[in-house]
Amino acid sequence: MVMPPTAISQAPGFVGRPTRRVDGPLKVTGRAKYAAEYDAPGLAYGYIVSSAVAAGRVLAIEADAALQMPGVIRIFSHADRPATATADKAWQDEVAPPGHPFRPFGSDEIHFALQPIALVVAETYEAARDAASLVTARYEVTQHRVDLKRERATAYDPPEKRAGIPPPPAPRGDFAQAYADAPVKISADYVLAPEYHNPMEMFGTTVVRNDDGKLLVFDKTQGSQNVKAYLAGVFGLPEGDIRVVNAYVGGAFGTALRPNMSAVLAVMASLALERSVRVTLTREQMFALGYRPHMEQTVSLACGRDGKLLAVHHDAVSGTSPFEDYQEAVVNWSGMLYACANTKLSYALAKLNTNTPCDMRAPGATSGVYALEAAMDELAHAAGIDPLELRIRNFSERDGNTDKPYSSKALMLCYREGAARFGWSRRQLAPRSMREGNELVGFGMATGVWEAMVVPVTAKAILSADGALEVSTASSDIGTGTYTILAQIAADAFGLPLERVTVRIGDSALSAHPVEGGSWTAASAGASVSLACAKLKEQALARARRMTNSPLAQAAMEEVAFTDGRIALAGDAGRGVSLADVLRASDLGHLEEEASFTPDEKLAGRYASYSHAAVFAEVRVDEELGVLRVPRLVSAVAGGKILNPKTARSQILGGVVMGLGMALHEEGLFDHDLGRLMNHNYAEYHVPVNADIGDIDVLFVDEHEDKLGHLGVKGLGEIGIVGTAAAVANAIFHATGKRVRDLPITLDKLLG
Ligand code: MOS
């Protein structure tokens, strides 16, 4: 449960306390620099020309007029392109799905509309953009495929599975028989429109070329080391010749997990022209990137009169690109979340003329759990059982797919505390039975679930003579609060005020860290920083013991406290030494340690680890005016230990807002004649705005986690979105009696 700041009575320290973002002042004063804000002497500017067609090949790029424009330096395209790596392997980044990764200008082939076909490089951005408008192309157009409904017939089981994504488990029991025999059953199709990540900061890369030819690449990415290794491989550069910096990232939600085309093209131009180059994408071009895929799902559920699940079937077909088999865990949730002996789950892909989809906030779960949780609501209605009660009756103490116990699962607390906070008991069972004034009122709920993952991370801790502490790892802060939680952990380790701690992340030159994704950063980077600090304290104490007449000569780590730049006997603050004296006595300018956090594979093999949520939404529908609103929503989250209730709450708020967008607004619309996305702008692709958002109440339930690393943290970047769309859709059914299964639920569908 969230406690108000005053109620927190733990030892002085920052972990567990609502703490303001340490990078906040830099961001609100504009001093935090983003990738496209760095300057360099002689900087050239690249502007991308995008394909007008969705499938076929480029016959010719006509660039003469553009080349005549003042300030134009060179125009790159498949016809004029420096050499790059030939093997797919070099283009496969750390999170690439199986297949043949996209290579900008790799050939004349067109796989999707808005695919980059040329890069105009000029002395100014305006000159590049102006000249780009004069570049034309002739195409041979072939039949495109962008309609998943039609392509569902071509769906295939991806031959190569994506690393880290479990394919659907084998069937359990006998679904068909159990479904046939069951007294209560439902079966329905759920359709999801493609969604786009839409981070506020658009992609941009500034490549600063040093005199020695080495490249300093400022890039919008969730993984500086991923981009660095990729660029080195693609361009055959020694790793020492390239450094990637992503100090601040203006939102990403997964879109910056894989190296972006702006990075490839900026480095390509910089190497060829031997100068510094910046490439930025337009908002329209942001819609040419990976996205949350189109999805068609069928869920069939059956239960006894008591509501106990007897049969579960979940089938999903997801879009992917012509060249890669992008995969998510979509249907697996239906085999693990509730106890059921008869399950049948299947997942297939269909190729579409789009870029490869890309992980977007809780990829797979957001889509699959929507269908499952909407279907559970339909089953509850069919059985005449309260939807929350149905979840509780089917609560599972083990992961149904693996039969492993959970390392922790406080989902029951989410149900109870969330329901109490929301006032769920005021809900009347029948749809259309609650009304206030001109509005129909609906209460809906859903369960959310997401993986709790940890990954290997190395961190460094450095203590300087003035008592300041620096901790570092090549992590990223994509707006999640990474800077802040790492500062909290480090400050507590040494008993320092936050201002005495500097966190360095967002630089490939720092200690090893994978991409910031999967909600694993807080637990993993946090653990590595805490280990590095512990090691550094050991070193400091060992040196303190050896000092002449040291009051700590016999002191063990458990007997001392680190506070305010001193090590002293616990309970006798007078008997101690200052860290500055320790450094002086050792004749050192600073003390330094590096440590690695490694997930305990044995524990991981024995337990299933997930974060959970219970989402409760109220909707109000004025049928006469055609107005639908969500005045309030409660998200009760079990995410292990909460390091910072303030940034944690923000993560859940963001996830809920994105879930509201999924439920009610967001939808990529294709022109099926041209194969092109029609609404690649904010006028027509609707993300929620302030006016769309009512009261969002976030609460964290008490959950003790001790198998996932010593911090007990699960990660919160993604759990907030899962379940939200279903809770809203279910509330709309409860308000109106109308079930809309394809998202977003726009008024035309509701009134139609
Ligand atoms: Mo997340 S979709 O792994 O950024």
Side-chain angles (χ1 to χ4, degrees):
M1 213 170 62
V2 166
M3 285 185 284
T6 48
I8 290 179
S9 61
Q10 63 189 71
F14 298 97
V15 168
R17 285 216 317 237
T19 305
R20 285 188 187 174
R21 282 169 199 269
V22 296
D23 50 332
L26 291 176
K27 284 185 169 167
V28 298
T29 56
R31 283 176 291 158
K33 271 195 177 188
Y34 295 83
E37 295 181 318
Y38 287 88
D39 214 343
L43 185 69
Y45 299 79
Y47 193 96
I48 294 169
V49 180
S50 307
S51 170
V53 305
R57 59 185 64 246
V58 179
L59 296 176
I61 302 269
E62 282 147 17
D64 287 352
L67 280 166
Q68 301 308 314
M69 295 289 286
V72 172
I73 301 164
R74 182 162 158 184
I75 299 179
F76 298 88
S77 71
H78 74 278
D80 177 8
R81 161 181 79 83
T84 48
T86 49
D88 275 337
K89 196 154 175 41
W91 294 84
Q92 256 151 2
D93 69 283
E94 142 188 341
V95 289
H100 309 287
F102 179 66
R103 307 175 184 194
F105 311 159
S107 77
D108 59 356
E109 263 185 287
I110 298 293
H111 296 295
F112 56 95
L114 290 180
Q115 176 180 321
I117 57 167
L119 180 78
V120 178
V121 183
E123 298 293 344
T124 65
Y125 176 75
E126 290 75 13
R129 183 177 57 182
D130 201 13
S133 72
L134 300 178
V135 176
T136 58
R138 283 190 296 117
Y139 306 93
E140 177 192 306
V141 181
T142 54
Q143 181 55 49
H144 61 257
R145 304 188 286 182
V146 292
D147 186 352
L148 182 63
K149 215 170 268 309
R150 224 169 59 192
E151 300 306 327
R152 193 168 180 172
T154 70
Y156 62 98
D157 180 21
E160 195 187 331
K161 303 306 175 200
R162 181 179 172 198
I165 304 295
R172 291 200 294 272
D174 184 344
F175 166 81
Q177 194 62 52
Y179 188 80
D181 294 346
V184 183
K185 60 192 94 174
I186 60 103
S187 181
D189 292 333
Y190 303 89
V191 179
L192 295 177
E195 288 190 303
Y196 296 80
H197 304 70
N198 281 301
M200 203 182 288
E201 178 202 15
M202 295 183 286
F203 275 100
T205 308
T206 306
V207 179
V208 178
R209 186 177 185 277
N210 295 325
D211 294 337
D212 58 5
K214 293 187 178 177
L215 304 182
L216 176 56
V217 179
F218 296 98
D219 188 39
K220 179 197 176 86
T221 174
Q222 290 172 246
S224 55
Q225 292 177 335
N226 187 30
V227 171
K228 178 194 146 153
Y230 170 86
L231 291 172
V234 163
F235 294 102
L237 300 170
E239 294 234 352
D241 282 9
I242 186 159
R243 176 176 160 205
V244 176
V245 170
N246 63 332
Y248 300 100
V249 181
F253 315 115
T255 186
L257 285 167
R258 299 187 69 186
N260 182 257
M261 57 178 85
S262 67
V264 186
L265 296 178
V267 170
M268 181 185 284
S270 174
L271 290 170
L273 302 173
E274 300 192 344
R275 48 189 292 190
S276 299
V277 176
R278 175 189 301 154
V279 174
T280 51
L281 300 190
T282 64
R283 183 56 73 182
E284 172 177 335
Q285 288 165 348
M286 293 291 288
F287 285 83
L289 307 172
Y291 60 99
R292 192 193 298 288
H294 311 54
M295 193 90 64
E296 301 239 346
Q297 304 182 70
T298 304
V299 182
S300 309
L301 303 176
C303 67
R305 299 262 171 238
D306 59 358
K308 288 269 173 60
L309 280 169
L310 297 171
V312 173
H313 169 228
H314 189 167
D315 173 60
V317 178
S318 167
T320 188
S321 68
F323 44 89
E324 284 175 315
D325 284 342
Y326 173 79
Q327 293 156 63
E328 303 173 328
V330 175
V331 297
N332 307 40
W333 312 100
S334 294
M336 64 84 69
L337 190 51
Y338 301 111
C340 184
N342 303 292
T343 63
K344 196 176 109 190
L345 312 175
S346 54
Y347 172 68
L349 302 179
K351 292 204 173 294
L352 299 175
N353 286 110
T354 63
N355 202 340
T356 304
C358 182
D359 292 341
M360 180 169 160
R361 209 169 203 162
T366 299
S367 308
V369 173
Y370 158 67
L372 170 65
E373 288 299 289
M376 283 294 279
D377 199 70
E378 303 207 29
L379 188 69
H381 179 65
I385 296 174
D386 175 89
L388 173 59
E389 180 58 28
L390 184 72
R391 267 77 171 186
I392 291 172
R393 288 190 196 171
N394 289 288
F395 192 87
S396 176
E397 297 292 350
R398 300 175 88 84
D399 171 348
N401 291 336
T402 61
D403 202 37
K404 289 179 194 172
Y406 291 98
S407 59
S408 58
K409 183 181 178 183
L411 175 58
M412 201 61 96
L413 283 181
C414 297
Y415 288 145
R416 298 228 165 94
E417 293 181 21
R421 180 77 67 94
F422 182 83
W424 183 257
S425 60
R426 290 190 281 118
R427 184 182 190 271
Q428 289 166 29
L429 193 61
R432 286 189 84 88
S433 62
M434 290 166 64
R435 186 183 283 274
E436 209 173 293
N438 293 328
E439 288 180 317
L440 294 167
V441 179
F443 285 3
M445 62 82 56
T447 309
V449 56
W450 179 245
E451 288 171 271
M453 291 181 274
V454 281
V455 292
V457 171
T458 302
K460 199 178 269 187
I462 301 173
L463 193 64
S464 53
D466 63 357
L469 179 66
E470 177 187 293
V471 292
S472 61
T473 174
S475 191
S476 315
D477 188 333
I478 59 176
T480 41
T482 310
Y483 276 108
T484 310
I485 56 150
L486 297 185
Q488 290 174 266
I489 291 166
D492 281 5
F494 279 85
L496 288 171
L498 268 192
E499 310 80 66
R500 299 295 283 153
V501 178
T502 303
V503 175
R504 285 185 61 211
I505 57 175
D507 184 339
S508 65
L510 300 171
S511 309
H513 191 299
V515 293
E516 192 202 20
S519 296
W520 58 52
T521 302
S524 314
S528 72
V529 161
S530 131
L531 290 174
C533 287
K535 213 165 149 189
L536 188 58
K537 285 164 73 174
E538 291 287 356
Q539 188 194 145
L541 179 59
R543 290 180 183 281
R545 281 195 209 106
R546 293 199 296 269
M547 286 166 67
T548 322
N549 297 327
S550 174
L552 303 174
Q554 308 299 326
M557 185 56 80
E558 310 77 62
E559 294 161 349
V560 301
F562 284 68
T563 13
D564 281 330
R566 282 173 54 80
I567 319 176
L569 288 176
D572 189 356
R575 296 183 60 204
V577 296
S578 76
L579 290 168
D581 285 341
V582 174
L583 284 156
R584 214 168 295 130
S586 312
D587 213 13
L588 288 170
H590 68 272
L591 302 183
E592 177 177 329
E593 289 287 0
E594 194 174 57
S596 296
F597 165 74
T598 320
D600 184 333
E601 297 299 340
K602 264 200 232 115
L603 277 183
R606 294 216 312 267
Y607 295 94
S609 292
Y610 294 87
S611 53
H612 290 90
V615 190
F616 299 85
E618 175 181 318
V619 305
R620 291 184 170 237
V621 180
D622 183 323
E623 286 186 307
E624 280 172 25
L625 294 177
V627 174
L628 161 63
R629 43 190 201 99
V630 185
R632 63 191 190 95
L633 185 148
V634 172
S635 182
V637 176
K641 184 184 173 76
I642 303 303
L643 293 170
N644 182 344
K646 193 174 167 78
T647 50
R649 174 173 176 273
S650 286
Q651 282 305 295
I652 303 305
L653 288 180
V656 166
V657 168
M658 222 166 187
L660 287 165
M662 174 185 180
L664 302 175
H665 308 284
E666 298 191 44
E667 159 175 47
L669 292 163
F670 280 85
D671 177 320
H672 288 289
D673 289 330
L674 296 172
R676 291 168 51 156
L677 188 67
M678 295 187 286
N679 56 341
H680 40 57
N681 57 68
Y682 280 167
E684 291 154 296
Y685 182 96
H686 292 169
V687 293
V689 297
N690 273 326
D692 296 312
I693 302 302
D695 179 50
I696 301 171
D697 196 352
V698 177
L699 64 103
F700 295 105
V701 303
D702 210 19
E703 184 177 66
H704 180 71
E705 167 63 51
D706 59 10
K707 310 284 192 301
L708 264 181
H710 60 276
L711 294 182
V713 165
K714 284 188 172 174
L716 299 166
E718 293 169 290
I719 184 63
I721 189 173
V722 188
T724 297
V728 172
N730 296 341
I732 290 171
F733 171 75
H734 184 238
T736 64
K738 176 144 187 178
R739 190 72 75 175
V740 180
R741 299 182 179 87
D742 51 333
L743 301 188
I745 303 177
T746 46
L747 286 174
D748 53 313
K749 294 176 192 166
L750 197 55
L751 301 175

